[in-house]
Amino acid sequence: MSLPRAKKNQPDPVIVGIGASAGGLEALQEFFKAVPLDTGLAFVVIQHLSPDYKSLMDELLARQTKLRIRVIAEAMPVEPDTVYLIPPRQDLVVFHNQLILREQGLTRGVHLPVDVFFTSLAQEKGRAGIGVILSGTGSDGTLGTRAIKEAGGMVMAQDETTAKFDGMPRSSIATGLVDYVLRPSQMPEALVQYVQHPFVKKASRLEAALSRNSNPLTQAILILRDFSGVDFSLYKETTLIRRLERRVSINHHDSLEDYLAYLKDSDKEKETLFREMFIGVTRFFRDQEAFISLERTVFPEILQKRSLRIWSAGCSTGEEVYSLAILLLQTMEQQKREVDIKIFATDIDRHALDIASRGFYPDSVAADIPPALLLRWFEKNQDGYLISETVRKLVVFASHNLLKDPPFSKIDLLVCRNLFIYFKPEVQNRLFGSIYHSLSAQGFLFLGSSESLGPLADGFLVLDAKHKIFRRQPGFTVPLEITPLQREARDMSLPSPVLKSRDGKAERLLSQTLTAVLPPSVLVDSNDQILQTFNDTSPFLRIQPGKFSAGLFDLLPQELGILVSSVLRQLKAGTPSVSLQNLDGYRIADETVSYLLCFRPPREPSSASVPEQLDQLVLGRVGDLERELQFTRESLQATVEELETSNEELQSSNEELIASNEELQSTNEELQSVNEELYTVNSEYQSKIEELTNLNNDESNLLRNTGVGALYLDADLNIRKLTPKVSVLTRIMPSDLGRPLEHLSPLPSYPALVEDIRSTLATIQPLDREVLGTDGRKYLASIRPYRTDYNAIDGIIVTFVDITSLLAERREAATNVGRLNQALELGQMAWWEWEVSTGRVLIDPRKATLLGYLPEEFPADVRGVCALLHPDDYERVMQAMRDHLSGHSPRWDVTYRIRRKDRGWAIYHDRGAVSERAPNGKPLKVIGMVMLLPEAP
C-alpha cells in the first residue's frame, strides 16, 4: 500500500497537519510506526512546546519510522515522505508550499498553534487539506477542524478511549465534522486509502460523470429528501457534487452508484451526508468590521424602540447570533436604555441547534472574543465557556426551513449571512421576496459578504455596500412568481408551459391548446436559447447561413433584435410582463425561469413606426448604460476608500491583539498551557531516561552473566567502571574507581598492561594478549579504543574472556578430527554433499582418490558425477534418488558401479538423506557417505 513518490514535475505533495499536546508522544510514535514508506505525503507535526526547552521529538520518532525527520526552519519547502516538527516559541503557517514561522510573542498566554496551522492549511490547500487531531488537553484544533471542513478537506481524530488526554480529540469530534475516529495505528492505512481515491487524486471527477448521466444525483437528492424532509434539488448542484465526492472517497467506493447503494441502507451515512450539507461557517464576531458597521448604522435607530424583533436565519451553532445579542446588550448598557429584545434564531440542522441552545463552546473560542466581552458575558469552567444566562434568555432557537416554512413577520433586523449562496438563482429571488415582506416598514437586512440582492435591489436602501447592510424601502412591488400566462394555464387546469409531464398525451394537449390561443410566439430559457415555438414564426425568425444555432438573437433581424433585447432585459430584472409595439413578453417562474415572447403583426404597417420605437429603445439603453457607468464609478470610489482605510484597520487589529495578550497573561489558560508544555517535556525526558535505564541494565546483565571481565578507562587512564570479574582476575577493586591505573601494582600475569593500553591509545589499533589469571585459567585480554556516538576516542576498554575451555575444546576437536579421518581411511569411505538447486557437489578428497583420481580431477557438479555411473546402473540410481527427494523413501541407499580413472569399474555403496528443505518442502541440500566395496557383485 503506497503512493508513487512525488517528482519535480508533479504537483505539490499532500500535506497532513497533525496536532498533539499532552500525551501526544505515545500517539505520534504509534502513528508513525504504522506509516508506510513512499506514500508521497508530507506530515507536519504541531505540538505545544515549552519556549525554553530543546525538544527530543525528532530523536524519539526516528526510532519508529524510516521517514526523513526535519525540524522546521524559516521558509522551508514541503517535500514528500518527510516529517516536519515545529520548533518552540513559534506559530506555523503554510504559504505557496513553504512553511513560514511566526514568533508567538514575549507575553505568555493561550497559544493555539494547531488552529493557526490548520486554518492556513485550509486556505492554502482547500479540498486537499488534511488534519489529524491526537491526544491533548484543551480544545486547540477545534477551530482548525471547522476551517478545513469549510474548505472541503478531511479531518481525522484519535479515538477518545485510546487517548491519554482526550480534550483535543473530544472537542473536535463534538463539532460533528470529523470524518474518521480511529486509534493512531489505524490512521495511516485509512489516510493512504483516502488520498489514493480517484476523486481526491483528481484522476476523475464526479461532475464529469454526472454531466453524462444526472440520474444518480437525482437519486441521492430523493434519498436525502425521504430521510430529512429537505429538498436539495433547490440547492446549487456544485455544492451537492462536492459533498458527494467527499463521502464517496471517504467511504472508499469506486463510483457514485456503489455509494448510493450503501447510502440507501445506512441511516448513519444519511445523517452524516445531511449534516455535511450544512457545515457551519461561523464563529464569534466573524468579520468584525461588519459588526462594527452594524453598531454604527443600525443600532442607534432600532434601540429607540420599546420592543425589538430580530430574526437570524441560518444561525448554525449560534456563535453569530450570540455575538449580536452581546453587542446589543453592551450598547444598551452604555446608552442606559431598556429595550425588550426578542431574537428568533432558526436553522434546518437540528444538531447545530442543539449546540446553539446549550450555549457552551470550547476554550478555543477565546481567540475570537475580546477579553472584556469574554469576562463580562461568559462563564468559564474546566472544559470551555458557557454563554451567560442574560444573553441566552434573549434568544429563541427553533427549527425552520426557509424554502417551505412561512417567514416571521414584523422583523426589525434580519440577519442572514452567506446562506443564499448555496441556493440556485431563482430560489434566491423567491427567498428575497419573502424576506422583503417579513421585514417591518423600516426594517434592516444584514447579509454576508458574498451575497447580493439581485432583482430586489430597488427594494432596499444601501447603508453599507461593503458589509452588506440594507434598509427596506416601502412601496416596492416584489415581482410575482406566477405570470399572467401561467395563471391562465392554471385556471384552465393545464400544467405550466415549463413543467414537464410524465404523460405524453398531456404535453401534446398543452402544446395544441397554446398553439390555438397564442399568436406566433417563442419560449426561451435564461440563456436566450429557444425551447419551443408556437404557430408560424417565420416572419420574425430567420435561419441564417452556416452552422445552425438555437440562440434567439442568431435568428432575429437586427432591428427586431434590439426590441426583443429590451423586453428580455426588463423580464430578467424581475418585471412579470412587458408590452411594446408588436411584442409582448412574459416571465414564467417554476422550477426554472423561462420567457415567452409573443409577436403581434401590426394592423397598419408603417415604415416609420419601427425606427421611431427603435430610437426610444436606443435612448433607453443609453440611459441604462449611463446608470451602470455611475454605479461602476461609485464602486471604484468605495474600493479606493477601502484601500485607504486598510492600514488603520490593521493597526486596530494589532492593538486588539496586544490587549488580548495582556488580559490573558494572568488567566488560567496560561497555567494550562504551561502544564501541557511541562507534561510534553516530562514525557520526552521520561522516555529518554527509561531508554537509558534499559540500556544500562542490558549492559550490566550481559557482562555479568557472560562471565566477561570489562575495565573502562577514561582518556587519562583513570578507572571509570569495572565488572565483578575484573576484581577476581586482578587486584583492581570497586573502591579504586577514579584512580589512575598506573598507581596500582602491576598484574603478575600481565605486567605490560599499562604499556599496551598507552600503545593502543596512541595508535588507535586494537591489541590482544593471552594471559594467565590469578585463578590459573587462560584469558584473552582485548584492548580497544572507547568510541562515542560521534566516533570520538574517549578512553580505553579492556575485556578479559576466559578461553581455557575454548582451548581445550579446540585440542579435543583436533584429536577427534584426526580419529575420524583415520577411521574413514581404514574403512575406505568418504563423505559428499549436494546442493540441489545449483547442482554443485562438494566431496571428501578420498571419494576421488579411492577411484584413482586427483581431487581436482573429480567432477564438481551432479551431472559430471552421474556421467561416471555404469550405463546399466544409471536408471536404477536415478530412480532411487527421485524416490528419496519426493519423500517416498526415508533415505538414499544404493549400490552401483562407477568408472575408475584407469577405465575399470569400482563398486560404491552410497547412503545419504536430505539435510535441509525449503518452507514449501522442496529439498535444498543432500549429504551422504560412500564406501568402496572390495569386489564386483
Side-chain angles (χ1 to χ4, degrees):
M1 176 178 46
S2 63
L3 293 175
R5 182 182 291 274
K7 299 180 180 178
K8 292 184 179 179
N9 59 348
Q10 289 181 337
D12 296 336
V14 174
I15 298 177
V16 181
I18 304 176
S21 180
L25 174 60
E26 295 87 341
L28 287 168
Q29 289 176 323
E30 186 180 343
F31 176 90
F32 283 109
K33 189 175 182 180
V35 174
L37 297 176
D38 298 323
T39 64
L41 304 177
F43 302 91
V44 181
V45 178
I46 310 296
Q47 274 193 295
H48 293 185
L49 299 174
S50 175
D52 51 1
Y53 166 68
K54 183 182 182 303
S55 176
L56 303 172
M57 182 61 70
D58 53 342
E59 182 180 342
L60 296 173
L61 287 184
R63 296 184 175 90
Q64 307 298 329
T65 179
K66 297 298 184 182
L67 295 174
R68 180 174 48 179
I69 299 176
R70 304 182 67 183
V71 177
I72 298 169
E74 179 60 26
M76 180 177 284
V78 180
E79 298 177 353
D81 301 312
T82 306
V83 180
Y84 296 91
L85 305 178
I86 188 172
R89 299 187 300 274
Q90 301 286 338
D91 282 333
L92 179 70
V93 299
V94 58
F95 182 70
H96 290 178
N97 208 46
Q98 289 185 325
L99 299 175
I100 310 299
L101 294 172
R102 296 176 178 173
E103 286 285 345
Q104 289 181 342
L106 298 178
T107 58
R108 298 280 307 215
V110 176
H111 296 299
L112 303 173
V114 181
D115 282 332
V116 171
F117 181 75
F118 277 18
T119 301
S120 75
L121 180 63
Q123 294 170 349
E124 173 79 3
K125 294 296 185 179
R127 298 167 63 184
I130 298 176
V132 177
I133 300 293
L134 299 178
S135 173
T137 61
S139 58
D140 193 11
T142 303
L143 295 180
T145 294
R146 287 187 176 275
I148 290 176
K149 294 294 292 186
E150 177 183 343
M154 188 271 280
V155 177
M156 289 181 170
Q158 183 175 358
D159 188 343
E160 301 170 57
T161 60
T162 68
K164 200 162 189 177
F165 293 87
D166 64 357
M168 284 174 55
R170 177 162 46 83
S171 181
S172 292
I173 294 171
T175 64
L177 304 177
V178 173
D179 299 298
Y180 297 93
V181 178
L182 303 168
R183 65 176 307 120
S185 61
Q186 297 171 331
M187 289 179 174
E189 180 179 1
L191 178 63
V192 174
Q193 288 180 352
Y194 170 78
V195 174
Q196 286 180 328
H197 196 280
F199 290 162
V200 178
K201 294 173 66 177
K202 299 182 180 179
S204 63
R205 270 281 166 267
L206 183 58
E207 189 170 0
L210 291 174
S211 65
R212 297 187 295 269
N213 179 17
S214 62
N215 186 54
L217 179 61
T218 303
Q219 291 183 40
I221 292 173
L222 289 175
I223 292 172
L224 282 182
R225 188 194 65 182
D226 294 340
F227 175 75
S228 65
V230 179
D231 184 5
F232 286 98
S233 64
L234 303 178
Y235 288 65
K236 290 181 179 177
E237 290 185 355
T238 54
T239 301
L240 303 178
I241 291 172
R242 283 199 300 268
R243 300 294 190 264
L244 285 171
E245 273 190 342
R246 277 184 33 76
R247 297 311 304 171
V248 171
S249 57
I250 286 173
N251 287 284
H252 310 309
H253 291 291
D254 296 329
S255 65
L256 181 56
E257 288 77 8
D258 293 343
Y259 174 72
L260 289 178
Y262 167 67
L263 182 65
K264 290 177 183 178
D265 298 330
S266 174
D267 287 343
K268 181 179 179 181
E269 181 61 22
K270 293 172 188 173
E271 176 67 23
T272 301
L273 179 59
F274 174 74
R275 286 172 58 183
E276 287 217 357
M277 295 294 183
F278 304 104
I279 292 179
V281 185
T282 183
R283 60 197 305 178
F284 280 99
F285 301 101
R286 177 169 171 261
D287 196 2
Q288 193 171 20
E289 294 83 358
F291 278 97
I292 294 173
S293 177
L294 192 69
E295 288 183 276
R296 185 180 67 251
T297 58
V298 176
F299 283 14
E301 182 171 337
I302 62 176
L303 290 178
Q304 299 294 328
K305 298 184 176 184
R306 289 187 177 181
S307 62
L308 189 61
R309 289 168 59 86
I310 298 175
W311 180 17
S312 175
C315 66
S316 188
T317 48
E319 288 93 331
E320 201 162 67
V321 68
Y322 282 133
S323 301
L324 179 63
I326 288 171
L327 291 180
L328 285 169
L329 289 172
Q330 194 87 350
T331 306
M332 286 169 55
E333 285 188 352
Q334 294 171 356
Q335 298 180 0
K336 298 181 180 179
R337 291 184 178 276
E338 290 292 335
V339 180
D340 180 21
I341 299 177
K342 184 64 67 178
I343 302 178
F344 304 100
T346 64
D347 200 281
I348 200 172
D349 185 356
R350 295 186 181 275
H351 175 75
L353 287 175
D354 290 340
I355 297 175
S357 60
R358 286 196 301 269
F360 182 79
Y361 299 94
D363 290 327
S364 55
V365 299
D368 297 325
I369 305 170
L373 298 183
L374 192 67
L375 293 173
R376 174 68 178 84
W377 303 108
F378 291 81
E379 300 172 9
K380 180 70 176 75
N381 64 27
Q382 183 178 359
D383 299 323
Y385 291 91
L386 180 67
I387 299 288
S388 69
E389 183 66 25
T390 306
V391 179
R392 281 189 291 156
K393 70 181 183 181
L394 297 183
V395 186
V396 176
F397 291 97
S399 177
H400 183 275
N401 188 343
L402 276 174
L403 299 176
K404 66 178 184 179
D405 295 333
F408 293 87
S409 60
K410 299 180 181 179
I411 298 299
D412 299 299
L413 171 62
L414 198 155
V415 180
C416 190
R417 308 190 69 206
N418 296 328
L419 174 63
F420 294 115
I421 58 176
Y422 297 105
F423 298 123
K424 294 179 178 179
E426 57 271 21
V427 179
Q428 293 182 26
N429 296 339
R430 175 161 61 88
L431 291 178
F432 275 127
S434 177
I435 284 175
Y436 179 86
H437 290 300
S438 70
L439 290 171
S440 62
Q442 297 293 325
F444 295 90
L445 177 62
F446 185 24
L447 296 179
S449 58
S450 302
E451 296 168 326
S452 61
L453 292 170
L456 271 76
D458 293 339
F460 291 87
L461 175 66
V462 179
L463 301 182
D464 188 334
K466 177 182 177 181
H467 299 113
K468 303 302 174 71
I469 302 175
F470 308 92
R471 182 206 291 272
R472 183 182 187 272
Q473 290 277 64
F476 176 74
T477 302
V478 177
L480 297 177
E481 294 181 60
I482 301 179
T483 66
L485 180 62
Q486 286 179 296
R487 188 177 297 108
E488 180 180 356
R490 182 191 61 191
D491 295 339
M492 296 172 60
S493 300
L494 293 175
S496 170
V498 296
L499 290 178
K500 294 183 179 180
S501 170
R502 296 181 180 179
D503 187 352
K505 294 181 179 179
E507 286 194 26
R508 289 194 297 272
L509 177 61
L510 171 63
S511 178
Q512 294 171 2
T513 303
L514 292 176
T515 301
V517 300
L518 289 176
S521 305
V522 60
L523 183 68
V524 299
D525 61 15
S526 56
N527 296 320
D528 302 329
Q529 297 293 305
I530 297 176
L531 301 177
Q532 189 171 350
T533 61
F534 303 94
N535 290 314
D536 183 13
T537 58
S538 59
F540 310 98
L541 303 180
R542 301 174 184 174
I543 298 178
Q544 304 297 329
K547 186 178 180 180
F548 177 76
S549 171
L552 176 64
F553 292 97
D554 293 335
L555 305 179
L556 286 172
Q558 182 177 3
E559 297 82 359
L560 188 56
I562 296 176
L563 187 67
V564 171
S565 175
S566 177
V567 171
L568 281 176
R569 181 163 45 83
Q570 296 179 61
L571 294 176
K572 291 180 179 180
T575 306
S577 61
V578 177
S579 293
L580 294 178
Q581 183 174 358
N582 302 331
L583 179 63
D584 295 326
Y586 303 95
R587 184 175 186 274
I588 303 174
D590 200 275
E591 291 183 357
T592 59
V593 179
S594 54
Y595 308 94
L596 182 67
L597 302 173
C598 301
F599 301 98
R600 291 182 284 102
R603 295 180 180 177
E604 296 180 2
S606 173
S607 60
S609 61
V610 172
E612 179 180 352
Q613 195 169 43
L614 288 177
D615 290 342
Q616 295 175 357
L617 294 175
V618 169
L619 290 176
R621 182 58 176 165
V622 171
D624 291 340
L625 293 174
E626 289 177 347
R627 284 190 293 273
E628 291 179 7
L629 178 60
Q630 181 62 29
F631 177 76
T632 303
R633 288 174 176 172
E634 293 175 354
S635 300
L636 179 60
Q637 181 62 31
T639 303
V640 172
E641 292 175 357
E642 292 172 8
L643 293 174
E644 290 174 348
T645 59
S646 61
N647 288 334
E648 297 177 359
E649 294 173 353
L650 290 175
Q651 182 63 33
S652 175
S653 298
N654 281 335
E655 293 173 356
E656 291 173 3
L657 290 174
I658 293 172
S660 297
N661 286 333
E662 293 174 350
E663 291 287 342
L664 293 172
Q665 188 174 5
S666 60
T667 61
N668 290 331
E669 286 78 0
E670 179 184 356
L671 295 177
Q672 178 65 37
S673 177
V674 172
N675 286 336
E676 292 181 10
E677 294 165 0
L678 290 176
Y679 186 90
T680 302
V681 172
N682 288 336
S683 295
E684 294 187 6
Y685 274 142
Q686 185 64 35
S687 178
K688 195 69 175 178
I689 291 170
E690 183 179 351
E691 180 183 347
L692 291 174
T693 301
N694 291 335
L695 287 175
N696 284 332
N697 291 336
D698 292 344
E699 179 188 10
S700 298
N701 279 277
L702 175 65
L703 295 176
R704 187 182 303 115
N705 295 322
T706 57
V708 175
L711 175 64
Y712 295 86
L713 306 173
D714 62 18
D716 297 324
L717 302 188
N718 297 320
I719 299 172
R720 292 173 49 190
K721 189 175 181 181
L722 70 157
T723 62
K725 191 68 174 178
V726 173
S727 298
V728 175
L729 301 176
T730 70
R731 297 189 181 94
I732 303 174
M733 305 300 291
S735 58
D736 295 323
L737 293 179
R739 295 180 61 186
L741 180 65
E742 60 187 7
H743 288 184
L744 303 178
S745 300
L747 302 182
S749 60
Y750 194 178
L753 175 61
V754 175
E755 288 74 10
D756 286 348
I757 289 174
R758 290 190 180 280
S759 175
T760 298
L761 190 61
T763 62
I764 319 298
Q765 297 299 320
L767 192 150
D768 295 319
R769 301 282 191 192
E770 286 189 17
V771 298
L772 183 64
T774 57
D775 56 359
R777 300 180 68 83
K778 284 277 191 176
Y779 289 88
L780 177 65
S782 299
I783 305 174
R784 301 287 189 272
Y786 182 93
R787 297 180 183 273
T788 67
D789 287 343
Y790 302 101
N791 206 29
I793 306 301
D794 193 30
I796 292 290
I797 178 173
V798 183
T799 59
F800 298 90
V801 180
D802 187 349
I803 60 173
T804 305
S805 299
L806 179 62
L807 294 174
E809 289 172 0
R810 287 181 179 176
R811 289 193 295 270
E812 183 179 355
T815 301
N816 291 335
V817 169
R819 291 170 180 169
L820 177 61
N821 286 331
Q822 186 177 8
L824 292 174
E825 188 71 32
L826 293 173
Q828 291 190 304
M829 293 182 293
W831 58 264
W832 56 269
E833 182 180 290
W834 171 33
E835 290 184 357
V836 178
S837 59
T838 64
R840 188 172 68 90
V841 176
L842 181 65
I843 65 168
D844 181 352
R846 278 181 291 269
K847 185 174 182 180
T849 58
L850 289 174
L851 299 176
Y853 297 98
L854 294 175
E856 59 270 18
E857 294 175 337
F858 201 79
D861 65 311
V862 70
R863 290 183 179 273
V865 174
C866 291
L868 298 178
L869 296 178
H870 193 285
D872 295 340
D873 298 339
Y874 181 85
E875 183 56 36
R876 178 171 54 84
V877 173
M878 292 298 102
Q879 185 59 44
M881 181 59 75
R882 285 193 291 268
D883 291 344
H884 176 59
L885 293 180
S886 62
H888 290 91
S889 61
R891 66 179 57 85
W892 154 267
D893 192 344
V894 65
T895 299
Y896 55 83
R897 288 166 289 179
I898 187 167
R899 186 185 302 278
R900 294 195 304 264
K901 186 176 181 179
D902 61 6
R903 311 302 291 176
W905 300 97
I907 302 173
Y908 266 170
H909 181 205
D910 203 344
R911 301 185 68 184
V914 174
S915 62
E916 185 178 344
R917 291 185 181 271
N920 61 1
K922 183 178 180 180
L924 299 178
K925 188 178 292 184
V926 181
I927 61 174
M929 182 75 70
V930 298
M931 176 186 293
L932 181 65
L933 298 181
E935 57 183 2

